[in-house]
Amino acid sequence: MTALDLSSPVAVVGTGTMGQGIAQVALVAGHPVRLYDAAPGLARKAADTIASRLDRLVEKERLTADERDAARARLTPVDDLAGLAGCSLVVEAVVERLDVKQELFGALEDVVADDCLLATNTSSLSVTAIGGALRVPGRFVGLHFFNPAPLLPLVEVVSGFATDADAATRAYETARAWGKTPVACADTPGFIVNRVARPFYAEAFAVCEMQGADPATVDAVLRESGGFRMGAFELTDLIGQDVNESVTHSVWQAFFQDVRFRPSLAQRRLVESGRLGRKTGRGWYDHREGAERPEPHTAGPAEPPAYVVAEGGLGPAAELLDLIREAGIEVREAEEDEGSRLVLPSGGRLVLADGQLSAEFGDVVHFDLALDYRKATRIAVSHAAHTSAATVAQAVGLFQALGKKVSVIGDVPGMIVARTVARIIDLAVDAVAQGVASEEDVDTAMRLGVNYPLGPFEWSRRLGRGWAGALLDEMHEVDPCGRYAPSLALHRYACATDQREDTP
Ligand SMILES: NC(=O)c1ccc[n+]([C@@H]2O[C@H](COP(=O)([O-])OP(=O)(O)OC[C@H]3O[C@@H](n4cnc5c(N)ncnc54)[C@H](O)[C@@H]3O)[C@@H](O)[C@H]2O)c1
């Protein structure tokens, strides 16, 4: 099954933000495109907007003037659905309401031929439910573009229960022919990206809600240590708190209020108070003119320790040992390998975030996971109230000697980056185990859809397959609300490579 022929007319129904973008993509790819919107005059207005965007592409030399003129000539706004007769593909991008979409597709079936591919751009409704009442349901798929559609490469091609494999393949190949990177996924709440990405927001909000750190510190740690393009607070201020919360809410509801997807009370309050982010001037941050952006917590200078004793290889933080040596600090090897930690001259221990509270131990400082300890410019550390001042100072001084800024946060199990990455890996592994998508497509979706520095499976391979499960096991023990309980799929995934010697 191949992509639609470029001579096949494509219809876009609903010519708002997404409809305009999708129409532009199909048009620039070479199709004749027809636009329809229920609101009188909007399709024509959208055609004008698309035409002026084509002008800008010519200015930027991404399109020649001839190509623009030809594209304009292929673009036709129509005044009623009947004008879509003869189209080979209809992409729907109308308001996010099940009843409206169902009614629209019912009416469309009376207009287009039985072999016309029907696609919805829904982000949160079930593709199966939208196409449920169709006369020919096999040709119905989800084609989930991301905003702005002309710029973002990812398209989730969603198969509902009734979708024919041929229809899904044709939609997939067509998206690819349009220059997009399609990923195949099953009809599941949030599809791939909006399902697997939930913890990125939820864990940041949770750290803040439990007073572990303020938004500016969490954001700085996610960016400078985790390697994420933006922190969760600044990103949701950009997206709109209402938009982000409504996705979270709908995924949580669709999973029958599964605690792993539970929305944030703090975000609810923001939405209720109209602090929707940049678009209203305030969200987590104050974006009004003249407002000062709060600084992340950054510890003042501290003396580095003269030496550290390495007990074990530090696992995913092993590179720190090289960095410490390069900074001129002696690394002594422990005579007995007691685990995986550094002992400071104070006698206190420095331990990679493992899901446990520092408070459960004696003189301990935890430090957060970094995507790349060499490149990280900030490291978060946490400690208990009873941790000695000398141990905290030496931990801070050690990271400062490596050229890092240090944020001291509250005693939060799993800290910031570690808990976020562990939960993303858990949801990714669970999604694959449930047949939502392949490991490769999940990685592609998360890198392209939300700009993660690594896909969850790439990240997991770096950290060791057992890492996320072990961290979540510990978190679940100290916080048994259910949200941190690793999935069965994650246990199975971790065991898959364990060299088991014992036979039950
Ligand atoms: N905005 C995003 O970031 C984004 C991203 C991915 C997917 N989506 C999905 O795309 C769809 C559209 O979102 P949007 O942000 O472009 O919305 P929008 O409000 O900008 O545009 C919706 C358009 O649909 C028209 N419309 C409403 N009912 C109609 C009907 N019955 N027939 C024809 N036209 C109708 C409206 O007049 C409006 O012009 C939704 O399903 C949304 O979930 C949105």
Side-chain angles (χ1 to χ4, degrees):
M1 189 53 64
T2 52
L4 284 182
D5 196 272
L6 283 183
S7 61
S8 309
V10 171
V12 175
V13 179
T15 59
T17 310
M18 293 308 294
Q20 289 174 20
I22 297 165
Q24 183 183 328
V25 170
L27 190 65
V28 171
H31 289 274
V33 174
R34 296 186 212 161
L35 299 174
Y36 171 72
D37 196 286
L42 273 197
R44 195 157 296 279
K45 224 170 133 189
D48 291 342
T49 307
I50 294 168
S52 54
R53 287 199 200 145
L54 297 180
D55 288 339
R56 281 207 293 281
L57 291 181
V58 174
E59 284 162 24
K60 290 182 187 164
E61 299 184 356
R62 298 219 198 111
L63 217 58
T64 66
D66 284 351
E67 286 167 339
R68 175 206 45 208
D69 295 345
R72 274 190 183 177
R74 291 195 301 270
L75 184 60
T76 318
V78 302
D79 294 329
D80 51 31
L81 276 188
L84 306 184
C87 282
S88 303
L89 163 65
V90 181
V91 185
E92 165 274 313
V94 308
V95 59
E96 188 75 333
R97 271 181 45 192
L98 181 61
D99 58 336
V100 174
K101 291 188 195 269
Q102 282 174 329
E103 196 184 320
L104 171 70
F105 281 109
L108 271 168
E109 272 204 316
D110 293 336
V111 170
V112 296
D114 282 1
D115 62 353
C116 172
L117 202 54
L118 297 178
T120 175
N121 184 50
T122 184
S123 14
S124 60
L125 299 171
S126 152
V127 169
T128 305
I130 298 172
L134 288 180
R135 193 166 40 74
V136 191
R139 38 84 171 259
F140 187 68
V141 294
L143 263 185
H144 186 221
F145 288 82
F146 289 73
N147 187 21
L151 294 182
L152 295 185
L154 187 69
V155 178
E156 292 175 322
V157 181
V158 186
S159 290
F161 271 23
T163 307
D164 287 339
D166 278 359
T169 308
R170 172 150 284 204
Y172 184 98
E173 292 301 335
T174 299
R176 190 162 34 202
W178 291 359
K180 296 295 171 190
T181 305
V183 290
C185 80
D187 186 20
T188 170
F191 309 135
I192 302 173
V193 171
N194 281 336
R195 171 177 175 153
V196 175
R198 291 339 306 148
F200 179 72
Y201 313 104
E203 293 312 314
F205 300 163
V207 168
C208 187
E209 281 172 296
M210 68 179 98
Q211 310 297 309
D214 57 21
T217 304
V218 174
D219 278 354
V221 171
L222 285 170
R223 266 188 277 105
E224 298 175 41
S225 200
F228 291 97
R229 190 75 61 88
M230 290 177 93
F233 294 93
E234 54 197 351
L235 180 57
T236 51
D237 264 4
L238 181 67
I239 296 169
Q241 298 303 334
D242 52 339
V243 174
N244 180 264
E245 197 218 21
S246 116
V247 175
T248 303
H249 201 268
S250 85
V251 171
W252 172 66
Q253 286 289 17
F255 276 116
F256 307 111
Q257 306 191 349
D258 183 334
V259 67
R260 291 178 305 162
F261 298 99
R262 190 178 55 204
S264 145
L265 202 52
Q267 190 181 33
R268 182 89 284 269
R269 294 286 174 268
L270 272 192
V271 174
E272 283 170 346
S273 61
R275 284 171 52 171
L276 306 183
R278 288 197 193 180
K279 62 187 172 187
T280 57
R282 290 189 83 183
W284 294 109
Y285 297 107
D286 191 342
H287 301 277
R288 292 171 299 184
E289 209 167 323
E292 264 183 42
R293 182 74 184 253
E295 291 293 326
H297 175 273
T298 304
E303 275 295 307
Y307 67 90
V308 294
V309 181
E311 293 182 343
L314 287 191
E319 195 171 15
L320 274 180
L321 294 177
D322 286 342
L323 296 177
I324 293 170
R325 286 191 195 96
E326 287 167 27
I329 297 171
E330 185 190 349
V331 177
R332 300 180 185 166
E333 307 280 337
E335 281 175 18
E336 280 176 38
D337 185 349
E338 302 266 339
S340 191
R341 59 204 183 188
L342 296 175
V343 183
L344 298 163
S346 64
R349 283 160 295 151
L350 191 53
V351 181
L352 174 62
D354 54 4
Q356 304 189 65
L357 287 167
S358 301
E360 292 178 88
F361 300 94
D363 199 15
V364 161
V365 169
H366 278 99
F367 65 98
D368 206 355
L369 182 71
L371 171 66
D372 178 334
Y373 283 97
R374 191 170 285 279
K375 290 191 185 142
T377 53
R378 179 181 299 273
I379 298 290
V381 301
S382 65
H383 62 85
H386 61 241
T387 307
S388 74
T391 296
V392 175
Q394 287 175 12
V396 169
L398 177 68
F399 285 113
Q400 287 175 340
L402 311 187
K404 318 293 183 198
K405 294 183 185 126
V406 179
S407 292
V408 182
I409 68 165
D411 188 9
V412 172
M415 303 193 66
I416 297 171
V417 179
R419 63 161 54 209
T420 302
V421 173
R423 287 212 56 224
I424 288 170
I425 291 173
D426 183 32
L427 290 191
V429 169
D430 194 38
V432 169
Q434 292 189 20
V436 173
S438 67
E439 290 188 8
E440 195 185 351
D441 276 358
V442 170
D443 277 355
T444 301
M446 303 316 287
R447 271 192 282 96
L448 298 184
V450 268
N451 264 320
Y452 287 0
L454 289 175
F457 288 93
E458 294 170 277
W459 220 325
S460 167
R461 280 193 289 277
R462 249 196 211 196
L463 295 166
R465 285 168 75 109
W467 176 85
L471 185 126
L472 290 174
D473 269 335
E474 295 291 354
M475 284 189 70
H476 179 55
E477 201 167 311
V478 289
D479 189 357
C481 62
R483 177 187 175 105
Y484 300 105
S487 62
L488 167 66
L490 189 64
H491 277 305
R492 207 189 280 134
Y493 171 84
C495 292
T497 51
D498 267 357
Q499 297 300 314
R500 299 217 167 270
E501 288 168 7
D502 50 328
T503 309

